[in-house]
Each structure stands twice: as C-alpha cells, then as structure tokens.
Amino acid sequence: MAQTDLHMHSAVSVDGEISPRGLAELCCQEGVTLAALTDHNDIAGTAEFIWRCAQLGVQAIPGIELDCVQEGKLLHLLGYGIDIANALLLHTVQAVRVRQTEAGLRLMDTVSALGIAFDREQVLEWAGDGAVCAETIVRSALQMPENRTHPLIRPLLPGDTLSDRPIANFYWSVFAPGKPAYVPVDFMTAEQAVDLIHAAGGIAVLAHPGIPISDAAALDGALRLPLDGVEVFSSYHTAEQVSFYVQKAKEYGLLLGGGSDFHGRSKPDIRIGAVDWQGCEGEARAALLDAVQHVR
C-alpha cells in the first residue's frame, strides 16, 4: 500500500459515500500520510477533511476534480493546492452545481423512458441538496425485482458480466457519453478549467488519462494544455500504461501524479492508498509538494 493518495472522493461528491471527516480517518487507518480530497466540482468538504487530517497526523492538500470538455471529450482535471476561499472558484462550482442539479432531473426522466424502475422519492432523498446522479439511480433500480429481466440491469446482477462493480459499470454502460441514458451537462472547457485552477493558486493535473482518452491525437491535444502534471499512477492504469504515461509526462515536462480515485460502494474494489507508484512514490511526492508550495 502507498503512503500517498492524491485522488479520493467524499460524500460531497455526487457519487461518493463517506464524510470528509470519515475519509480522513480512513486515510490514517490505511497508513496514508499525504492525501488530497478531490471531490467532483466541489470543495465544501475540504476544510473538514484538512482539519481532521491535521488531528490525525496526516498531511492534507486542498484539492478538487473538475469536469471539463476538450474537443468534444469529457476530461477530468485535478487541482492541488487551491485556495478554497477563492471567489472565482466558489462562483464557478456553484454554477456547475446548478447545471448538474437540472441535468439530474432530466436523467431520471431518461431512465424511466428506458423502462427501468426506481424509487424517485428515494433517489431525491439520497441526493439531499445535491444533484441526482447515475449511481443513486442504479442503487434504487437494483432493489426493484421487476428490473431483474431488464437487458440493461441483468448484466449487473450477481454472477453476470458487470457484477464486479455494478454501480460504476451501470454508469459506463448506460449513462456515459454515447450511451442510451446520456444527459449532457454544459461543463467548462479544459482550458477554462486549467485557468480556474491556476487562478485559485493551484496546480493542474490531468486525471487518469487512460479512462477518457482512447487515441494518441486526443492525448497529445490534452497534454498541450498548460498543465502542471499527469496522474500517471492510477487504479485504472496497467503497468504498460503507467510506463507510457511516464514517458509522455517527461516528453511534456509534467509532474507525475497518482491516486486511487476512491469513492466507496460505487467502486468497492478500490481502496485508499491502493496505488502502485512503481518505485517512484518518494520522488514524485516530493516534486508535487514542492510545486504546491511554490505555486504561481
């Protein structure tokens, strides 16, 4: 297990589960000594996370994960060392939250139109003051006996092809761009996201490029953004991909980042600190910390 995990989500994220305080305690239990809470488009839990980490002797970096678009593809950008009181950042995350809340209501209608049953009131209750997301809808849908024969639900059931990670797999097979229940959200461009992170005093790191980017041209297009680093070490990357992204980071003069992308029940196989840094943890960690401390 690694001592550094710079990509994790609390219940503040629409698809997270554990409170920021609980996440800090879990970091301590798992032996993580340097951590970053990177909730989706939100920093509401960051102060609580940092406060509890300080009590437990865990060094914490304020962070965020921004959804953005580059040449029609959805990307995720991690921001580290950001000022969570920055006015522009606060205004932007509030605007994104409004758009996601509106999209969540449309999402429920789209799922209903596919003939998938779920408890709308339960889903709204789980969402609280936040946005309805794919993960909360599928949690409800999996409880409905009438869905067991539905062709989009059946692969998620125990013993079937997508049962290893049913909640996350349901998102990728039904809700992701190009899938039957996809509902677009008007996210900022990738360049705007980088500029926002920099304006908030942080460094910008491209998250898990092996997930959203499938071709070399798109990767090079993303890496030509004014980034500071790439999340090379990820729960989603094979050893071969890690080697490839290390070379790409060196080619573009970018820092090496890493994190588990822990969420909780939606990705039950991913643990905090379960990142293979392939012998680079100490060097990469020191470089990232130095960049955060000497940010523009």
Side-chain angles (χ1 to χ4, degrees):
M1 298 290 285
Q3 292 185 314
T4 308
D5 195 332
L6 302 177
H7 190 165
M8 60 185 75
H9 298 273
S10 75
V12 170
S13 288
V14 293
D15 54 356
E17 177 188 7
I18 302 174
S19 70
R21 177 189 180 117
L23 198 62
E25 293 168 354
L26 191 55
C27 285
C28 183
Q29 292 171 22
E30 295 291 346
V32 170
T33 59
L34 177 64
L37 175 60
T38 54
D39 279 319
H40 291 293
N41 307 303
D42 211 330
I43 38 80
T46 306
E48 178 184 330
F49 177 75
I50 292 175
W51 163 77
R52 187 59 177 145
C53 279
Q55 290 182 321
L56 297 169
V58 177
Q59 185 175 2
I61 299 173
I64 193 169
E65 184 173 17
L66 295 174
D67 290 281
C68 56
V69 178
Q70 168 80 355
E71 298 180 352
K73 293 184 181 293
L74 182 64
L75 297 182
H76 290 172
L77 285 184
L78 297 162
Y80 298 128
I82 53 173
D83 174 9
I84 61 174
N86 179 270
L88 179 59
L89 178 65
L90 292 171
H91 172 78
T92 303
V93 298
Q94 175 60 32
V96 172
R97 189 179 301 116
V98 170
R99 291 196 289 271
Q100 287 184 302
T101 299
E102 294 170 347
L105 298 178
R106 299 198 305 272
L107 189 63
M108 289 193 290
D109 293 336
T110 303
V111 174
S112 293
L114 291 173
I116 298 174
F118 62 94
D119 187 329
R120 186 176 290 254
E121 291 186 4
Q122 183 182 56
V123 168
L124 289 170
E125 181 181 344
W126 283 339
D129 295 330
V132 169
C133 66
E135 288 77 5
T136 51
I137 293 175
V138 70
R139 280 173 56 198
S140 177
L142 287 171
Q143 297 174 3
M144 301 288 184
E146 57 266 43
N147 287 329
R148 296 188 67 83
T149 58
H150 195 288
L152 294 174
I153 296 293
R154 192 169 55 245
L156 308 171
L157 301 178
D160 219 312
T161 55
L162 300 179
S163 61
D164 61 327
R165 196 188 288 175
I167 296 177
N169 285 337
F170 190 62
Y171 169 81
W172 289 111
S173 63
V174 179
F175 296 96
K179 301 302 181 179
Y182 174 62
V183 173
V185 180
D186 184 22
F187 289 120
M188 70 188 84
T189 68
E191 188 168 354
Q192 288 172 327
V194 173
D195 288 345
L196 176 62
I197 291 168
H198 288 164
I203 63 172
V205 175
L206 177 64
H208 45 58
I211 295 294
I213 302 175
S214 57
D215 61 87
L219 177 62
D220 285 327
L223 294 178
R224 280 193 290 270
L225 291 164
L227 297 167
D228 302 288
V230 181
E231 188 180 48
V232 170
F233 309 101
S234 168
S235 301
Y236 310 120
H237 292 168
T238 64
E240 292 76 16
Q241 285 177 306
V242 168
S243 297
F244 173 74
Y245 292 127
V246 165
Q247 291 304 312
K248 279 293 184 181
K250 290 180 179 178
E251 178 184 337
Y252 283 88
L254 298 171
L255 296 164
L256 305 180
S260 64
D261 197 17
F262 175 85
H263 282 73
R265 78 181 77 188
S266 67
K267 299 178 181 179
D269 56 318
I270 293 179
R271 292 179 58 190
I272 287 176
V275 184
D276 183 0
W277 290 79
Q278 297 194 9
C280 299
E281 182 177 5
E283 182 180 355
R285 170 178 172 142
L288 283 164
L289 279 174
D290 183 69
V292 168
Q293 291 165 1
H294 297 90
V295 71
R296 57 178 60 76

